[in-house]
Amino acid sequence: MGSVVKDVALKEDAPQTFLLEKHIEYIAAYGANKEDYEYCMTEYLRLSGIYWGLTAVDLMHSRNRMNENEIVEFVVSCQKECGGFGPAPAHDPSILYTLSAVQVLCMLDKLDKIHIDKAVAFIAGLQNKDGSFSGDKWGEVDTRFSFCAVAALSLVGRLWSDCPINIEKCVEFILSCMNFDGGFGCRPGSESHSGQIYCCVGVLSILRELHHIDDGLLGWWLCERQLPSGGLNGRPEKLPDVCYSWWVLSSLAILGKLHWIDKHKLKMFILASQDNETGGIADRPGDMVDPFHTLFGIAGLSLLGETSLKQINPVYCMPQDVLNKLGVNAQILDSQ
């Protein structure tokens, strides 16, 4: 007996146009009330939340709607003596939030406000003997952390000059996580997952090592993530989720295979996941919106060529003009 494909149906009255102004209002208003229950309950994500919101409004040409001085002051307050950043001042440092801090300050052109050498030392100190990276002092290993390390070091200009990590070992570990289907998992032997694939492809892209990938095999696996609704899932037998409009689509863009999926159907899935009253984008049509899915829905639409948005870089998930100014780039395969 064959398995039933898990999917969602798009309603006829679902939004079919990009609600730019409503999304700007949604992001600008989020967190304005510091006493709001949802805001208080997400303190453990605060720094990443700032990255999601700032990137989204920047892509929508509306960065002026954010209080940039307040953002810089908050990011600076999150750096610990060890050099790493926590999600909020009272939280422990992690490589995840260290990347978010670097991305935010790059967008605001304020990297000089933090102790870069200390941040670099914190990142380098999390590399293990096998080339992998731990997320924090507790030692969990995940390919996400390898991406955070490599991306952050490249953004602060310390990847190729005075590099503090073992790049060869880093690549070896990433390749040890490659599976028979062409994909990557969080550690060696873990199943392939779209989010981990983005991280591993991203590392190899930044380090100019994409030749190790079977781009045809991996491209096919990624295309198989598109369901009849047009949405993408993270792995087989799962429901579609707007965030994979980024993880899957960006990986395809890096591999030069963005044209391998039905772009129109994916665009309609993302648009149907918008809230036409409050603005914002949900994980799938009819669900509650949040800043995380709003950013990755907008980022996906940028990759799909939405003309009202800035161009996004598929490796760093940052506006391309920011990276141009920094002189940062990564390897992208030619379309084929």
Side-chain angles (χ1 to χ4, degrees):
M1 189 174 172
S3 60
V4 177
V5 176
K6 294 182 178 179
D7 201 1
V8 297
L10 307 189
K11 295 182 178 178
E12 290 185 7
D13 61 349
Q16 295 184 6
T17 58
F18 182 53
L19 308 175
L20 177 75
E21 293 301 327
K22 285 186 178 291
H23 297 322
I24 293 171
E25 291 300 325
Y26 169 73
I27 293 293
Y30 191 87
N33 179 7
K34 301 295 191 289
E35 304 301 316
D36 180 74
Y37 176 77
E38 184 180 0
Y39 182 84
C40 293
M41 291 302 291
T42 55
E43 184 179 82
Y44 68 99
L45 292 171
R46 185 73 70 241
L47 197 47
S48 288
I50 289 173
Y51 157 71
W52 301 330
L54 183 65
T55 307
V57 295
D58 198 347
L59 289 171
M60 295 187 288
H61 304 274
S62 298
R63 209 177 73 191
N64 62 325
R65 295 296 302 273
M66 306 293 270
N67 186 326
E68 296 187 8
N69 290 333
E70 185 179 287
I71 289 173
V72 172
E73 185 178 330
F74 179 81
V75 173
V76 170
S77 74
C78 292
Q79 188 170 29
K80 310 300 177 184
E81 185 57 36
C82 65
F85 289 77
H91 293 250
D92 289 339
S94 158
I95 202 166
L96 291 169
Y97 301 108
T98 301
L99 173 60
S100 293
V102 168
Q103 289 173 308
V104 167
L105 295 178
C106 281
M107 281 186 275
L108 298 178
D109 195 20
K110 297 291 184 180
L111 271 180
D112 60 331
K113 298 296 184 181
I114 60 169
H115 297 287
I116 292 179
D117 286 345
K118 283 187 175 183
V120 168
F122 172 76
I123 293 168
L126 290 172
Q127 188 173 31
N128 302 306
K129 288 183 179 180
D130 64 355
S132 66
F133 283 83
S134 299
D136 52 33
K137 65 180 181 180
W138 306 110
E140 179 191 1
V141 170
D142 190 305
T143 45
R144 289 180 303 155
F145 307 144
S146 297
F147 175 78
C148 291
V150 170
L153 290 174
S154 67
L155 288 170
V156 300
R158 291 290 297 277
L159 190 59
W160 304 113
S161 174
D162 195 20
C163 181
I165 66 170
N166 188 323
I167 290 178
E168 185 178 346
K169 282 286 188 181
C170 175
V171 173
E172 280 182 17
F173 177 74
I174 292 295
L175 296 180
S176 74
C177 298
M178 188 189 296
N179 293 320
F180 70 93
D181 54 17
F184 296 84
C186 57
R187 290 181 294 276
S190 298
E191 71 171 315
S192 296
H193 185 282
S194 300
Q196 309 299 148
I197 287 170
Y198 162 77
C199 292
C200 294
V201 170
V203 168
L204 297 177
S205 170
I206 295 170
L207 297 178
R208 315 294 197 274
E209 297 281 354
L210 285 178
H211 58 276
H212 293 291
I213 293 176
D214 185 333
D215 58 307
L217 182 62
L218 178 53
W220 179 255
W221 189 94
L222 290 165
C223 291
E224 286 286 291
R225 305 280 59 78
Q226 188 164 37
L227 298 166
S229 65
L232 301 164
N233 62 17
R235 51 199 167 106
E237 306 298 327
K238 295 296 182 179
L239 285 170
D241 187 317
V242 160
C243 70
Y244 295 114
S245 302
W246 174 254
W247 313 120
V248 173
L249 212 57
S250 58
S251 299
L252 286 170
I254 295 168
L255 298 176
K257 292 176 169 51
L258 201 57
H259 57 292
W260 279 21
I261 63 160
D262 189 324
K263 295 182 182 180
H264 176 72
K265 288 183 72 174
L266 175 57
K267 182 174 183 178
M268 298 314 294
F269 176 82
I270 299 172
L271 295 178
S273 302
Q274 301 175 108
D275 188 314
N276 55 14
E277 294 182 5
T278 66
I281 303 175
D283 57 350
R284 57 188 64 94
D287 286 357
M288 287 288 291
V289 301
D290 61 73
F292 174 86
H293 289 93
T294 300
L295 167 61
F296 292 121
I298 289 171
L301 290 172
S302 176
L303 284 178
L304 292 170
E306 171 59 46
T307 56
S308 62
L309 297 170
K310 282 187 180 182
Q311 180 187 356
I312 195 166
N313 182 280
V315 180
Y316 292 90
C317 197
M318 295 166 63
Q320 184 61 49
D321 61 352
V322 172
L323 296 168
N324 291 344
K325 188 174 181 180
L326 290 170
V328 172
N329 55 62
Q331 182 185 10
I332 305 292
L333 298 183
D334 293 332
S335 297
Q336 50 186 291

